[in-house]
Amino acid sequence: MTTGGVSVKTSSASLSMWMLGGSHERDAAVAREALEQGNTNFKALVEIFVGRKSSHIALIKQAYHKNYGRQLDQDIVRIEPPHPFQKILVAISTSHKAHQADVSQHIAKCDARRLYETGEGSSGAIEEAVVLEIFSKRTISQLKLTFSCYKHIYGHDYTKSLKRGNSTAFEDALKMVVKCILNPPNYYAKTLYASIKGKTVNKGSLVARVIVSRAEVDMDEIRKIFRRKYGMELREAISESIPSGDYRDFLVDLASQPRPSLHN
């Protein structure tokens, strides 16, 4: 049954997800749901692998295996038909196994130059192999520094080079991943607004996933950016788009509570 674009199944699943033992258990449940859908929800998977620390990713994989008797990495590799997001996810998952704590300015500059030379500095499409190699060897923190160096050296964000009219499916997927890496609060504020205003399907499910996953991470920043960008409070936007009831109250409460900003 569906009410105002939010199904009873969606609300029950979201409430149940919040009741799970820890955030790694919730992320494991989100990953399984994303993989079980007819069309794999790659964005949900990207948000997990980009938004969590390597130690947390290891716990997610353990919970996934314990709860579902499957290996998360293997399930991603086996997705059919192959998809550009799939390649990037495999690379990022590989990088999480390296456990490199320190970031290097020198490596960031070198990687930024390689991205330029194999991207907008060349005449054709970007070289996927180079991008995937960098993503598979660098931590999220290192990648963030690389994209910062790219902007410093070339005067614009790396994503600008991916906005060409003839961009490939891989470049479109890469653009979304880079935005999620560069500025998570801004990425999630835009995602919430697009969902709340009905520009995406499965409105209730997407709003719930973002609110639940970021409630203990950077919801304060998301809320501030949402207010600055769209001129309204996040809690008011949720209240206007989701029918009244315990489910809406649950989401509004999570979106309104002050939380420490702990970038994962």
Side-chain angles (χ1 to χ4, degrees), residues 3-189:
T3 307
V6 180
S7 68
V8 172
K9 181 179 178 181
T10 293
S11 59
S12 298
S14 301
L15 290 167
S16 298
M17 183 169 60
W18 183 250
M19 296 301 292
L20 290 172
S23 56
H24 59 283
E25 294 276 354
R26 295 196 292 270
D27 287 340
V30 170
R32 186 61 189 154
E33 182 182 355
L35 287 162
E36 284 185 322
Q37 294 180 12
N39 293 319
T40 303
N41 189 342
F42 286 105
K43 288 189 175 182
L45 294 170
V46 167
E47 288 165 8
I48 290 172
F49 278 89
V50 167
R52 304 306 193 194
K53 295 178 180 178
S54 295
S55 57
H56 190 101
I57 294 294
L59 291 174
I60 293 170
K61 292 179 180 179
Q62 290 174 15
Y64 189 91
H65 182 259
K66 180 189 70 175
N67 295 335
Y68 310 112
R70 307 174 66 90
Q71 299 292 339
L72 179 54
D73 285 342
Q74 292 179 11
D75 280 353
I76 292 173
V77 169
R78 292 170 181 164
I79 293 172
E80 292 289 345
H83 194 282
F85 271 123
Q86 182 182 18
K87 299 178 183 178
I88 300 172
L89 279 167
V90 170
I92 295 176
S93 180
T94 301
S95 75
H96 277 296
K97 299 173 184 177
H99 299 295
Q100 299 171 345
D102 299 330
V103 295
S104 165
Q105 189 79 20
H106 173 71
I107 290 176
K109 289 180 179 178
C110 290
D111 285 347
R113 292 191 177 96
R114 289 186 70 198
L115 289 173
Y116 178 83
E117 291 166 0
T118 60
E120 63 179 309
S122 64
S123 56
I126 64 173
E127 292 186 33
E128 294 182 16
V130 173
V131 174
L132 293 174
E133 178 194 346
I134 291 173
F135 270 69
S136 68
K137 294 181 177 179
R138 311 298 186 226
T139 63
I140 298 301
S141 296
Q142 182 66 51
L143 288 173
K144 185 176 291 188
L145 181 59
T146 293
F147 297 132
S148 176
C149 287
Y150 191 100
K151 183 175 183 178
H152 179 74
I153 296 171
Y154 302 109
H156 57 262
D157 287 330
Y158 177 61
T159 53
K160 185 177 180 180
S161 69
L162 304 173
K163 291 182 179 179
R164 298 174 293 186
N166 59 342
S167 60
T168 65
F170 179 83
E171 290 171 339
D172 290 339
L174 180 60
K175 180 169 62 177
M176 175 263 167
V177 175
V178 173
K179 286 182 177 180
C180 193
I181 291 174
L182 272 175
N183 191 336
N186 189 67
Y187 165 83
Y188 286 109

Side-chain angles (χ1 to χ4, degrees), residues 243-255:
S244 60
D246 292 341
Y247 177 61
R248 186 181 73 178
D249 294 342
F250 161 74
L251 292 179
V252 170
D253 182 60
L254 280 184

